[in-house]
Amino acid sequence: MLAVFTSLRPVTGSPRQISVLIGRWLAERDALPLTVRTSGSTGEPKDVLLSAPAMRASAEAALARLGGPGQWLLALPASYVAGLQVLVRSELGGEAAAVLAEHPDLATAAAQLSGRRRYVACVPTQLRRWLADDPSAAALQTFDAVLVGGGPTEKELLDSARDQDVRVVRSYGMSETCGGCVYDGVPLDSVDQAIDATGRIRLRGPVLFDGYAGRPDLTTQVLHDGWLVTPDVGELDADGRLVVTGRIDDLVKSGGVTVSLEAVERRLTTMPGVSDVAVLGAPDAEWGTRVVAVLVGQPGLDLAAVRDYVSDVHPRAWAPREVRLVSRMPRLASGKVDRQHLARVLLDLS
């Protein structure tokens, strides 16, 4: 009889509660797949079915790539796949994870770790903030690896981390791959990567999900002959490393020119005076789609400066035609920008 863990379908609860359930789930020989609800940052949320063998394969491959088991600091929500994998790796490694939310700051939490090897996973926004804070930056130096993923990570941010002796590892993956399955452009053992004729990134291996719960129609759209067709576009560099260049749904036509919203967003994350950014496309009678930059930053930021900064590295036609300044960026529990909220409320795109 298959074992059912109600609180893992979908995953809900506090980090400590989920940690206990994960231990039982991994130990159960015939447990049903758990479900992780995608964030819905750009569309309708889906329940992703992840089996114990897939989660185990992902965790074991990650630990092998990083240098072996260690103690993890959980700095991400445990109900999403990146945080959930921290708990799975901890269970397999035999060392309980520490929980950042139980401490006042990163430095205090890191000081409580006692494992021989120490790891933490985060999103780019967290890494940027930690690097800007001296005690947090010093704490990061004590980790054997700092995984950063969940969104575009600028080269400047990675370089800044490495300049401060932080052993940062860029992770690429998604809920459908049990989290990160490509580290610094190189797939984990047993994972294959490819680029199809349209530029879409494809992934294959034992880490793939079982499908979307109750949505076989959506499952067949992305699973083909054992390959997951991702919504991301990319290329392989001269060394065969994966370079993610954007998302299919982040490519818009503005004035007849194809614009990568993600590339514009990555550029603006490096602009002096900008602390947070999201770039969206809005319907426009003249341009078809106008590029809109939503910024958290200094009051003096204006459209001309933003356009010039983008145009320094991208075609002028890619430069935003509108700038919106906000006091804070709306985010989902996963840490990702809530683009649906921005489109609906800020740009009135309901």
Side-chain angles (χ1 to χ4, degrees), residues 15-341:
R16 297 299 179 187
Q17 291 170 334
I18 295 172
S19 180
V20 171
L21 286 173
I22 285 296
R24 295 174 181 170
W25 180 71
L26 290 171
E28 189 71 42
R29 189 171 184 178
D30 58 356
L32 289 170
L34 57 75
T35 59
V36 170
R37 185 155 291 165
T38 61
S39 61
S41 59
T42 57
E44 179 186 357
K46 299 182 287 289
D47 285 339
V48 179
L49 290 165
L50 301 175
S51 70
M55 290 291 282
R56 186 182 292 272
S58 172
E60 290 175 345
L63 292 174
R65 179 65 58 85
L66 295 174
Q71 187 174 19
W72 286 80
L73 175 63
L74 177 64
L76 297 167
S79 56
Y80 290 98
V81 72
L84 191 60
Q85 267 295 7
V86 167
L87 299 181
V88 174
R89 295 171 194 143
S90 298
E91 182 67 26
L92 296 183
E95 294 194 67
V99 180
L100 177 60
E102 296 176 354
H103 301 276
D105 51 48
L106 177 68
T108 304
Q112 305 304 310
L113 298 178
S114 57
R116 185 177 62 86
R117 296 183 64 80
R118 295 145 49 107
Y119 303 118
V120 65
C122 64
V123 296
T125 300
Q126 288 174 303
L127 179 60
R128 186 174 294 107
R129 291 172 180 171
W130 289 340
L131 291 175
D133 175 67
D134 289 342
S136 297
L140 288 177
Q141 295 171 0
T142 68
F143 286 90
D144 292 274
V146 175
L147 292 183
V148 57
T153 308
E154 272 294 309
K155 181 179 182 297
E156 287 84 352
L157 178 60
L158 297 173
D159 289 344
S160 175
R162 289 163 181 154
D163 288 344
Q164 297 184 56
D165 296 323
V166 175
R167 290 173 284 277
V168 65
V169 177
R170 188 177 70 254
S171 171
Y172 170 73
M174 54 209 69
S175 298
E176 291 86 345
T177 62
C178 292
C181 63
V182 179
Y183 284 4
D184 286 334
V186 179
L188 298 177
D189 293 345
S190 77
V191 174
D192 296 317
Q193 64 186 18
I195 308 296
D196 69 16
T198 68
R200 296 274 283 267
I201 298 170
R202 293 183 175 230
L203 299 167
R204 179 176 64 180
V207 302
L208 292 191
F209 74 135
D210 285 4
Y212 298 113
R215 296 300 305 268
D217 55 325
L218 296 181
T219 303
T220 57
Q221 290 178 20
V222 298
L223 284 180
H224 300 286
D225 299 322
W227 287 89
L228 171 69
V229 182
T230 77
D232 300 312
V233 293
E235 58 191 21
L236 301 179
D237 68 13
D239 297 320
R241 292 178 180 266
L242 178 66
V243 179
V244 182
T245 57
R247 290 174 58 97
I248 287 293
D249 54 10
D250 276 338
L251 299 177
V252 301
K253 284 280 190 180
S254 182
V257 176
T258 300
V259 180
S260 169
L261 300 179
E262 185 169 314
V264 175
E265 186 170 302
R266 287 200 307 268
R267 172 60 177 168
L268 287 175
T269 61
T270 67
M271 184 174 182
V274 172
S275 57
D276 210 349
V277 58
V279 176
L280 296 84
D284 189 276
E286 180 179 1
W287 300 100
T289 299
R290 73 180 182 279
V291 178
V292 181
V294 182
L295 305 175
V296 178
Q298 298 174 353
L301 291 170
D302 62 14
L303 179 60
V306 168
R307 286 179 57 80
D308 288 345
Y309 192 78
V310 171
S311 301
D312 282 344
V313 297
H314 294 305
R316 185 72 178 181
W318 287 27
R321 299 188 181 277
E322 182 180 352
V323 169
R324 296 287 190 95
L325 294 178
V326 296
S327 58
R328 60 182 296 274
M329 194 68 67
R331 293 186 177 274
L332 300 163
S334 63
K336 295 182 179 180
V337 173
D338 190 344
R339 297 179 186 277
Q340 292 290 302
H341 174 85

